[in-house]
């Protein structure tokens, strides 16, 4: 027994020691494993934070340059800085606006000799450019050399102009300095390479930027330091200049998920060795959850980088990635369609109900699109009210057209926003691969052209890309460019005049001034071609002033005649239009009642009241107002009683319908009788036959105009007609 007892005690002790040793070894191994895992997690987290901070600063440099291009690649900016005296315009567009909208801390405009003509800075130095000149001068010199050499290797579809940027010290503070040339966006303004005005943007990296970075990406105690942090408790990112030398450091306390976990479990592990395995499993699960949170955070960041924050739809980058995949995976005989969508009248929603209501419309529109698409389709938001859709694997192009119709129909239904029923429309451009191209870039370009064509045709519709659309767009661009040249040279534009005859005496009582353009390669172009392009490109006021001035000059040749001049609704929306007309009449010495301005009814229904104010001012002056093309568009006999005009011009479409079974004679008779009841004069357009002349005379129409009497002719030929050396009918 004693032996047996000793043996038992020895065995017990052996088991106890072995157990204690085993538990200690296991605890040590587990503790060591946990510490190692925590350190590895800390290292991974630190590397990610370092990479994130580096990427953010790199993105900031590109973002500043991109922000600059929104105002430096602009004809108006080139003109303004050349004049150098429009400080208010420069400050609003190139200076303080850059701070207000983009958060830039400084903005400067340098002339071709690198002397500042404009200075803006958020600090109070009287000559703030002195602080940035040390960095900006070097960048400006490199940029000018690049411009002189014509080096455009850095240009892409996102980078529109050359530029130089660097990290440096400005006013004793670290900053990103970016220099961009102020260049023409149309290419119409000639600039000597290397002699452009330059725009300098400054963004400090030590205050607001650090606070924003710390808040957005959860950097703890981030701040700027001139020296690198010492020890393992702080992380440092050097801010490197182009020379490779650090100008300072961003310092922060790195996020240490592993250390936090180990500190939390250590007391439990020491106190409860018997539960070690359970605790280890739990702690490993906790560590896994921490890693999962890091992974979820990364996934969220990636999601935000590829999706629109308002609608959670894919953004432009993700759309093009998926489109490229769809094109590369396209099966033989299948189609890939791209739709470009643009909401109609969306700006009116923002203007009348506010941007929150506009955001609600965008969200609801995105939700409606989702319900119409397949799981394999991609819809993306690429702009304020612009969307794109990729339809892969189509077996029939008609499916894409059917979808366009469904989208247009679903948008016609009102949007209920905060108790308001909002009505908008959508215009769609459609391009299909392989017929319209094999690359995403080409498909998107052609879908955009089709969208432009659909808008030009009246909106709330869709258009499929056709080859002639590309040619038509290029033709319109060529005509726009040539029209700008014609307005400067004035040797191609002419004003012709078509006589107006008294219906009862056959005497010429006036003329209508009509614009003609003798294009150097396309020959004579009519107003039907010129005016829409001029209105779309902002040239209509220059064109209108040219016609008005020419017509006033011609009116001096014919003292007994009135002169009718067509006026665009865009001209009439200019608050200074009536003053401009009054100044021209005074300059030429013409009695106001001899001038008759022809307007469409859309111009007289301007909701802002500017057109109505101009019309009233002109009528008080004595200028007569005629309602052109009456009977078309929104015109009605009931509305005629409310319009402040002196003459009604009956549209040629009614005159050409005489003798047909469509009741045009009755319509014209009603217009004439109502005009007489209101004391208004009437003119019938498009008179081409003696029968039409006779009918209109019997109806009581006052004046007639048309090819029966004369085509539009030059002022010289009108003078010949009036002196009897030519006849109106043969002219």
């Amino acid at each position: 027994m004693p032996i047996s007892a000793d043996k038992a005690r020895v065995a017990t002790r052996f088991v106890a020691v072995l157990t204690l040793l085993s538990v200690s070894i296991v605890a040590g191994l587990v503790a060591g494993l946990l510490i190692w895992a925590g350190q590895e997690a800390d290292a991974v987290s630190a590397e990610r934070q370092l990479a994130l901070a580096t990427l953010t600063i790199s993105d900031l440099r590109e973002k500043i340059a991109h922000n600059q291009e929104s105002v430096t690649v602009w004809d108006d900016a080139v003109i303004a800085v050349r004049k150098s005296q429009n400080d208010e315009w420069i400050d609003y567009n190139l200076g303080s606006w850059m701070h207000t909208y983009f958060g830039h801390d400084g903005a400067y405009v340098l002339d071709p000799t690198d002397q500042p003509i404009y200075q803006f800075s958020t600090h109070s130095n009287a000559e703030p450019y002195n602080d940035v000149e040390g960095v900006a001068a070097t960048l400006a010199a490199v940029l000018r050399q690049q411009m002189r050499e014509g080096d455009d290797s850095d240009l892409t579809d996102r980078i529109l102009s050359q530029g130089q940027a660097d990290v440096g010290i400005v006013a004793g503070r670290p900053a990103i300095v970016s220099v961009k040339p102020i260049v023409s966006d149309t290419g119409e303004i000639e600039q000597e390479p290397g002699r452009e005005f330059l725009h300098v943007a400054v963004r400090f990296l030590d205050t607001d930027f650090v606070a924003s970075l710390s808040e957005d990406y959860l950097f703890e105690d981030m701040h700027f330091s001139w020296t690198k942090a010492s020890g393992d408790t702080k992380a440092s990112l050097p801010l490197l200049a182009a020379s490779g030398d650090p100008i300072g450091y961003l310092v922060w306390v790195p996020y240490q998920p592993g250390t936090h976990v180990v500190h939390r479990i250590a007391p439990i592990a020491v106190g409860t060795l018997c539960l070690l395995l359970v605790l280890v499993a739990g702690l490993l699960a906790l560590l896994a959850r921490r890693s999962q949170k890091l992974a979820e955070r990364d996934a969220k960041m990636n999601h935000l980088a590829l999706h629109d924050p308002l609608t959670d739809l894919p953004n432009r980058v993700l759309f093009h990635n998926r489109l490229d995949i769809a094109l590369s995976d396209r099966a033989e005989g299948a189609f890939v369609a791209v739709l470009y969508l643009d909401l109609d009248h969306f700006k009116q929603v923002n203007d009348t109900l506010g941007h929150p209501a506009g955001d609600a419309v965008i969200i609801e529109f995105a939700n409606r699109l989702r319900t119409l698409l397949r799981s394999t389709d991609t819809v993306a938001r690429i702009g304020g009210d612009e969307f794109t859709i990729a339809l892969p694997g189509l077996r029939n192009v008609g499916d894409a057209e059917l979808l366009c119709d469904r989208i247009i129909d679903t948008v016609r239904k009102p949007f209920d926003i905060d108790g308001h029923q909002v009505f908008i429309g959508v215009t769609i451009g459609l391009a299909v691969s392989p017929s319209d191209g094999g690359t995403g870039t080409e498909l998107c370009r052609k879908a955009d052209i089709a969208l432009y064509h659909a808008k030009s045709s009246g909106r709330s519709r869709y258009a499929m890309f056709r080859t002639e659309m590309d040619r038509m767009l290029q033709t319109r661009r060529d005509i726009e460019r040539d029209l700008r040249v014609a307005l400067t040279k004035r040797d191609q534009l002419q004003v012709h005049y078509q006589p107006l005859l008294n219906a009862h005496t056959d005497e010429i009582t006036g003329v209508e001034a009509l614009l003609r353009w003798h294009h150097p390669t396309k020959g004579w172009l009519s107003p039907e071609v010129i005016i829409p392009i001029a209105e779309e490109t902002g040239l209509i006021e220059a064109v209108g002033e040219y016609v008005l001035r020419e017509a006033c000059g011609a009116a001096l040749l014919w003292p007994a005649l009135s002169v009718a001049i067509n006026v665009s609704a865009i001209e009439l929306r200019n608050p200074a239009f009536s003053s401009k007309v009054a100044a021209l009449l005074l300059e030429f010495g013409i009695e106001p009642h001899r001038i008759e301005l022809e307007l469409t009814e859309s111009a007289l229904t301007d909701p802002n009241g500017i057109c109505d104010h101009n019309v009233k001012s002109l009528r008080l002056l004595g200028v007569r107002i005629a309602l052109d093309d009456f009977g078309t568009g929104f015109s009605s006999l009931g509305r005629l009683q409310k319009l402040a005009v002196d003459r009604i011009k009956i549209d040629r479409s009614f005159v050409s319908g005489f003798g047909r079974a469509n009741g045009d004679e009755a319509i014209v008779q009603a217009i004439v009788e109502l005009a007489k009841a209101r004391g208004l004069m009437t003119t019938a357009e498009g008179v081409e036959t003696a029968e039409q002349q006779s009918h209109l005379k019997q109806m009581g129409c006052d004046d007639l105009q048309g090819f029966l009497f004369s085509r539009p002719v030059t002022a010289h030929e009108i003078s010949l007609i009036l002196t009897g050396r030519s006849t109106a009918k043969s002219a």
Side-chain angles (χ1 to χ4, degrees):
M1 281 295 296
I3 296 175
S4 299
D6 290 340
K7 288 182 179 179
R9 284 193 296 271
V10 170
T12 301
R13 289 171 184 168
F14 177 80
V15 171
V17 171
L18 183 60
T19 301
L20 290 173
L21 181 61
S22 299
V23 170
S24 299
I25 293 173
V26 171
L29 290 174
V30 171
L33 178 62
L34 291 175
I35 293 172
W36 173 83
Q39 292 174 343
E40 287 297 308
D42 292 347
V44 171
S45 177
E47 290 175 0
R48 288 182 178 177
Q49 284 191 313
L50 189 64
L52 179 59
T54 303
L55 177 62
T56 303
I57 293 175
S58 175
D59 287 346
L60 180 61
R61 293 175 64 162
E62 295 181 4
K63 184 178 179 181
I64 292 173
H66 185 67
N67 292 345
Q68 287 177 276
E69 287 184 342
S70 67
V71 296
T72 58
V73 184
W74 188 13
D75 283 355
D76 290 357
V78 176
I79 295 170
V81 297
R82 281 182 173 180
K83 293 180 179 178
S84 299
Q85 72 267 20
N86 195 350
D87 288 340
E88 182 179 354
W89 190 98
I90 295 175
D91 178 71
Y92 180 78
N93 292 278
L94 302 177
S96 59
W97 184 79
M98 303 295 287
H99 169 68
T100 304
Y101 195 78
F102 297 117
H104 293 185
D105 297 296
Y108 310 87
V109 177
L110 307 182
D111 66 13
T113 64
D114 292 339
Q115 295 302 310
I117 66 168
Y118 170 80
Q119 306 182 51
F120 168 82
S121 177
T122 53
H123 61 273
S124 60
N125 190 342
E127 295 292 336
Y129 183 68
N130 295 336
D131 295 329
V132 74
E133 184 175 12
V135 181
T138 302
L139 297 176
V142 175
L143 176 58
R144 291 195 186 281
Q145 182 63 27
Q146 186 180 8
M147 299 291 287
R148 282 192 292 269
E149 293 174 355
D151 180 10
D152 58 356
S153 57
D154 295 334
L155 302 187
T156 66
D157 57 344
R158 282 181 51 83
I159 302 175
L160 307 178
S161 65
Q162 295 95 330
Q164 292 292 327
D166 199 2
V167 176
I169 299 175
V170 176
R173 299 170 63 183
I176 291 177
V177 180
S178 177
V179 182
K180 280 282 185 176
I182 300 176
V183 296
S184 169
D185 59 324
T186 63
E188 297 295 334
I189 301 177
E190 294 185 1
Q191 295 177 272
E192 180 183 347
R195 296 283 299 171
E196 298 85 351
F197 283 76
L198 303 182
H199 185 268
V200 181
V202 176
R203 179 71 188 275
F204 290 120
L205 300 176
D206 58 349
T207 53
D208 293 345
F209 170 75
V210 170
S212 174
L213 185 61
S214 179
E215 180 180 352
D216 292 344
Y217 300 104
L218 305 181
F219 285 92
E220 182 180 353
D221 191 28
M222 173 173 273
H223 60 278
F224 172 80
S225 174
W226 294 108
T227 58
K228 184 177 181 181
S230 59
D232 298 330
T233 59
K234 296 289 183 70
S236 300
L237 173 67
L239 299 177
L240 300 178
S243 62
D245 298 323
I247 66 165
Y249 300 83
L250 292 182
V251 179
W252 69 92
V253 177
Y255 178 54
Q256 297 179 317
T259 300
H260 294 166
V261 171
V262 172
H263 287 171
R264 185 175 296 180
I265 67 172
I268 301 174
V270 173
T272 55
L273 292 179
C274 59
L275 300 176
L276 183 61
L277 295 177
V278 176
L279 292 176
V280 168
L283 294 173
L284 290 175
L286 180 59
L287 185 60
R289 285 197 296 272
R290 291 284 184 178
S291 300
Q292 181 63 29
K293 287 183 180 179
L294 288 175
E296 290 174 355
R297 182 182 300 176
D298 288 344
K300 184 177 180 180
M301 291 173 61
N302 289 334
H303 183 84
L304 290 175
L306 297 173
H307 289 78
D308 170 54
L310 180 63
T311 62
D312 202 38
L313 292 176
N315 61 13
R316 188 187 301 270
V317 174
L318 182 56
F319 175 80
H320 282 286
N321 289 343
R322 291 184 180 178
L323 178 58
D324 290 341
I325 293 173
L327 291 171
S328 62
D329 294 344
R330 184 180 65 84
E332 186 69 27
F335 302 94
V336 176
V338 171
L339 281 63
Y340 258 46
L341 293 75
D342 186 83
L343 294 181
D344 303 328
H345 313 301
F346 178 73
K347 184 178 183 300
Q348 296 177 10
V349 178
N350 280 335
D351 292 344
T352 56
L353 300 179
H355 288 279
D359 290 345
V361 170
I362 291 293
I363 293 171
E364 174 62 22
F365 176 65
N367 291 335
R368 293 187 185 184
L369 287 180
R370 288 187 178 100
T371 62
L372 299 177
L373 301 179
R374 305 167 300 173
S375 59
T376 55
D377 301 333
T378 297
V379 55
R381 184 187 181 209
I382 60 172
D385 59 349
E386 298 176 348
F387 295 78
T388 53
I389 298 176
L391 306 175
L394 295 178
R395 292 298 174 184
N396 188 339
V397 176
D399 293 340
E401 297 184 80
L402 179 61
L403 176 62
C404 291
D405 285 327
R406 293 175 64 196
I407 293 173
I408 293 171
D409 288 339
T410 194
V411 175
R412 286 197 179 105
K413 300 175 184 176
F415 291 73
D416 190 0
I417 307 298
D418 295 332
H420 298 277
Q421 281 200 329
V422 176
F423 293 88
I424 60 173
V426 64
T427 305
I428 306 173
L430 171 63
V432 179
S433 178
S435 58
D436 297 331
T439 67
T441 301
E442 186 69 9
L443 274 183
C444 290
R445 185 183 73 85
K446 292 182 176 178
D448 197 19
I449 292 174
L451 173 62
Y452 175 86
H453 182 80
K455 285 182 179 180
S456 302
S457 303
R459 300 178 181 270
S460 291
R461 64 189 64 203
Y462 76 90
M464 288 190 66
F465 175 80
R466 299 189 303 274
T467 306
E468 58 267 24
M469 288 183 183
D470 210 355
R471 292 195 296 267
M472 288 169 60
L473 183 60
Q474 186 58 48
T475 300
R476 287 180 67 90
R477 289 173 178 166
D478 292 343
I479 292 177
E480 175 193 347
R481 182 193 63 239
D482 296 341
L483 181 56
R484 292 182 186 275
V485 175
L487 282 169
T488 0
K489 294 185 176 179
R490 301 292 177 95
D491 59 348
Q492 299 176 17
L493 298 178
Q494 295 183 19
V495 177
H496 287 189
Y497 303 88
Q498 187 173 30
L500 281 75
L501 274 69
N502 184 290
H504 305 287
T505 65
D506 290 340
E507 293 181 353
I508 297 178
T509 59
V511 293
E512 179 180 358
L514 299 168
L515 179 65
R516 296 292 185 267
W517 178 12
H518 191 260
H519 192 278
T521 59
K522 301 183 184 343
W524 287 103
L525 298 181
S526 68
E528 287 75 12
V529 176
I530 305 170
I531 300 304
I533 296 177
E535 289 183 332
E536 182 180 329
T537 58
L539 297 174
I540 188 61
E541 292 194 271
V543 171
E545 183 175 354
Y546 168 79
V547 175
L548 189 59
R549 183 172 289 276
E550 289 290 311
C552 286
L556 296 175
L557 303 174
W558 317 308
L561 301 186
S562 64
V563 178
I565 305 163
N566 290 279
V567 175
S568 165
I570 296 175
E571 294 179 88
L572 206 60
R573 293 190 190 111
N574 183 347
F577 179 73
S578 57
S579 302
K580 184 193 300 184
V581 174
L584 280 175
L585 295 179
L586 184 62
E587 177 185 342
F588 284 89
I590 299 176
E591 296 178 355
H593 71 270
R594 294 187 54 214
I595 299 299
E596 184 172 271
L597 299 182
E598 296 187 3
L599 318 173
T600 60
E601 187 178 349
S602 61
L604 296 173
T605 54
D606 172 35
N608 297 321
I610 298 176
C611 296
D612 184 58
H613 173 75
N614 276 323
V615 169
K616 289 180 179 177
S617 300
L618 290 167
R619 295 191 76 203
L620 286 174
L621 186 66
V623 175
R624 293 182 296 169
I625 304 297
L627 182 60
D628 198 11
D629 299 331
F630 186 80
T632 62
F634 297 103
S635 302
S636 68
L637 297 179
R639 289 179 59 83
L640 179 58
Q641 302 183 46
K642 303 177 183 179
L643 299 177
V645 297
D646 302 288
R647 179 183 295 271
I648 299 298
K649 297 199 72 174
I650 302 168
D651 188 67
R652 65 181 65 248
S653 60
F654 293 109
V655 176
S656 63
F658 281 8
R660 302 174 186 170
N662 53 11
D664 286 349
E665 291 92 338
I667 294 174
V668 173
Q669 184 69 62
I671 294 173
V672 171
E673 290 178 358
L674 183 55
K676 287 184 177 298
R678 287 206 57 214
L680 304 180
M681 301 290 288
T682 53
T683 298
E685 299 179 299
V687 180
E688 298 183 357
T689 66
E691 290 78 11
Q692 293 171 348
Q693 179 186 13
S694 175
H695 279 304
L696 291 166
K697 183 176 180 179
Q698 292 174 5
M699 291 177 181
C701 189
D702 297 303
D703 294 307
L704 306 178
Q705 177 182 357
F707 289 173
L708 177 64
F709 314 111
S710 174
R711 293 179 178 274
V713 295
T714 64
H716 175 69
E717 291 176 279
I718 291 291
S719 297
L720 293 179
I721 293 172
L722 294 174
T723 57
R725 286 179 284 173
S726 178
T727 63
K729 291 185 178 181
S730 62

